[in-house]
Amino acid sequence: MDNPGVVAYAANDLRIEDVGEPRPAPDEAIVEIAYGGVCGSDLHYWMRGAAGASILREPMILGHEASGVVVSPAADGTGPDAGTPVAVHPLTARGDGVTPWPEDRPNLAPASTYLGSAMHLPHTQGAFARRVALPARMLYALPDGLDLRTAALAEPAAVAWHGLARAGDVRGKHVAVIGAGPIGQLVVAVARRAGAARITATDLHPLPLEIASSRGAETLDARDAEAIAALHADVVVESSGTVPGLASAVSAAVRGGTVVLLGLQRAGDVPVPMAMAITRELTLLGSFRFGAEFADVIAALADGSLDVSGIVTQELGVDQALEAFEVAADPSRSSKVLLAFDQR
């Protein structure tokens, strides 16, 4: 198989197949992917055939967390040169001509596309293949000292960075993180870099709690409602994307505190303890993807101020993609799982 890719066809139909050689547009470079991080949305496409309202209607290459090396630069002369190691910013911001949106927040553009997303038809093919054609504007050259494996975490780290930034300056504050999966672990790392005085992480499983503890966070079993209600955290980041997690986030916040809704909840109505949020005068903030923070995240990864060591717990080759997805879907077995497309 010359150019293996990870392709979702439908629920429980994930295939590793030759996706053919990429045919770049003039503004696209060909990138040899080194590492790809398995995200929750990838798992949803595999397990359910949909991620929220984005429903698979045709085969789609998965993956939007990626790093690699440019092997053929864009023909129009834009972007990095051949041989440049890069991280991939997977967003293409687009308006729909009708819906207003703040243009300084590209993550909120209403008709945007994202690598490996079935929101639109045709689907936006992702980056889980050995060689892919990507718009040159998506490619961020890696600074000296930032390896490709770590750079694969730039996209999810930017999600965590953006989410915590929604709460403002957390220096000297108590930050609670509800759900210590990969994004929650990265929120812990970002909060530590941002100068939080105290960080508490909750989860249902021992492994993520052990990882969070190794990063200097206090930990709580997510089922311990009494202990969570006693946190009185200045800032709470809900990163589990679950209904119980949302209730815990409101409960954990100090009166007058801030709750960041980072984990994507299911579509439709979701029960929330709104009376508690109202009487405590909590500030509830949504957080979706990220925007201009990507370059700052790459710089912080490169200089070591954003420490993500230990968050990747499994690394498997592209020929083991199905096993990688199974491991990533089990939070008791792993934190972050990387697919290795090209061992360097």
Side-chain angles (χ1 to χ4, degrees):
M1 198 179 299
D2 190 50
N3 191 22
V6 181
V7 184
Y9 277 77
N12 297 308
D13 188 358
L14 187 72
R15 308 180 195 180
I16 299 95
E17 61 185 24
D18 196 322
V19 297
E21 287 303 313
R23 298 181 178 180
D27 64 344
E28 293 181 329
I30 296 178
V31 178
E32 190 172 76
I33 298 298
Y35 294 99
V38 180
C39 176
S41 63
D42 298 316
L43 297 176
H44 286 307
Y45 285 124
W46 164 53
M47 293 187 292
R48 301 184 179 91
S54 301
I55 301 170
L56 279 173
R57 288 161 285 175
E58 63 181 12
M60 182 177 73
I61 301 172
L62 295 176
H64 56 265
E65 302 176 8
S67 64
V69 176
V70 175
V71 293
S72 179
D76 67 0
T78 60
D81 294 330
T84 304
V86 296
V88 179
H89 188 320
L91 174 71
T92 297
R94 290 176 181 161
D96 60 8
V98 176
T99 308
W101 56 283
E103 296 195 10
D104 61 338
R105 298 164 73 179
N107 54 311
L108 300 183
S112 294
T113 60
Y114 216 72
L115 294 180
S117 170
M119 176 63 74
H120 302 285
L121 193 67
H123 298 338
T124 306
Q125 299 297 315
F128 280 179
R130 184 162 291 158
R131 288 179 299 281
V132 295
L134 296 173
R137 58 180 164 70
M138 289 186 175
L139 307 178
Y140 285 64
L142 303 187
D144 292 341
L146 181 55
D147 61 274
L148 288 164
R149 188 175 187 271
T150 303
L153 292 176
E155 193 274 351
V159 171
W161 186 295
H162 179 77
L164 193 62
R166 293 280 290 138
D169 188 358
V170 300
R171 191 179 300 110
K173 295 183 178 179
H174 180 191
V175 175
V177 181
I178 307 298
I183 294 295
Q185 300 287 352
L186 289 164
V187 173
V188 170
V190 173
R192 180 66 67 202
R193 180 186 184 278
R198 180 185 175 194
I199 303 169
T200 305
T202 75
D203 206 89
L204 295 169
H205 302 283
L207 178 59
L209 293 178
E210 290 171 10
I211 296 171
S213 179
S214 72
R215 314 193 69 73
E218 301 171 29
T219 60
L220 286 175
D221 189 305
R223 289 160 290 214
D224 193 341
E226 185 176 344
I228 290 171
L231 285 175
H232 304 295
D234 302 295
V235 174
V236 184
V237 180
E238 201 302 296
S239 63
S240 74
T242 66
V243 172
L246 182 54
S248 291
V250 172
S251 172
V254 72
R255 291 171 181 268
T258 298
V259 177
V260 179
L261 309 178
L262 182 56
L264 187 61
Q265 295 285 332
R266 69 183 188 221
D269 294 339
V270 175
V272 185
M274 288 305 298
M276 184 182 295
I278 292 167
T279 58
R280 291 186 179 183
E281 288 195 356
L282 301 182
T283 299
L284 306 182
L285 297 169
S287 182
F288 184 60
R289 295 176 177 164
F290 57 92
E293 301 95 337
F294 200 63
D296 293 334
V297 170
I298 289 173
L301 289 171
D303 67 22
S305 61
L306 181 57
D307 179 11
V308 296
S309 58
I311 291 176
V312 174
T313 51
Q314 299 278 350
E315 179 184 317
L316 296 99
V318 63
D319 58 329
Q320 299 171 288
L322 185 55
E323 179 184 351
F325 275 55
E326 290 171 347
V327 172
D330 183 352
S332 69
R333 296 171 62 193
S334 72
S335 178
K336 190 67 179 176
V337 176
L338 291 186
L339 282 175
F341 290 85
D342 179 32
Q343 295 287 354
R344 289 181 177 273

